[in-house]
Amino acid sequence: MDTLQQPVKWSRWVLTGVGSVVILVALASYLTNKALPDLLVWAQQVFGWGFAGLYSLLLIAGVYACQSMKSDSKAAYFWEMAQQAGNGIATLALTFTLLGISLGIGSLSEQPLTPDTIQNIIGELTAQFSTAFMTTVVGLPTATLLRAWSSIRLHALTVNKGETL
């Protein structure tokens, strides 16, 4: 690729990514009826920075891999990269699910259970379980879509070349 076209490719990628994020945040704000600051506070409380950061990195890697699959010799490499990013997202989602459940159960053993404290304990437990299950609700479908997208792109490339799988 010509070195003059390289910045154009990256700027297109950045602008597409930023535009997609803006559209997704606007859609989430509309669906939840929350303003952007409230939506960000909710997301941080439910998912935490660890999950959000790792999820974003894996998602970016997977989308990059799917977009990089072209009719060249590196298509199998990028397909594998996308598959592994999808597997990473699924593993991350399940790990944070188990972590949230473990933290919730662990918090039960640290506090005395009396009629006066039961309401607060259930509130804390519910918050931990909310994090646990939301990571699964977001992560597993994302992983499935990423793996499906990469497989369909690879299949389309091999069919166009006249190869069979």
Side-chain angles (χ1 to χ4, degrees), residues 38-97:
D38 296 334
L39 188 64
L40 294 176
V41 167
W42 173 82
Q44 192 278 327
Q45 288 173 345
V46 171
F47 295 109
W49 294 116
F51 177 81
L54 293 170
Y55 173 83
S56 297
L57 288 174
L58 288 167
L59 185 61
I60 289 167
V63 169
Y64 173 76
C66 286
Q67 286 293 330
S68 296
M69 276 194 264
K70 307 255 188 281
S71 57
D72 63 2
S73 62
K74 292 190 177 189
Y77 169 78
F78 287 117
W79 174 80
E80 186 65 35
M81 184 178 166
Q83 292 292 305
Q84 294 306 319
N87 291 341
I89 290 172
T91 301
L92 182 70
L94 293 174
T95 299
F96 271 78
T97 298

Side-chain angles (χ1 to χ4, degrees), residues 124-146:
E124 291 175 23
L125 187 62
T126 304
Q128 295 292 337
F129 285 180
S130 173
T131 296
F133 294 118
M134 283 304 288
T135 58
T136 300
V137 165
V138 168
L140 292 183
T142 304
T144 300
L145 290 172
L146 190 58

Side-chain angles (χ1 to χ4, degrees), residues 107-114 117-118 121:
S107 71
L108 283 177
S109 66
E110 297 172 359
Q111 302 176 25
L113 194 59
T114 66
T117 61
I118 191 75
I121 292 172

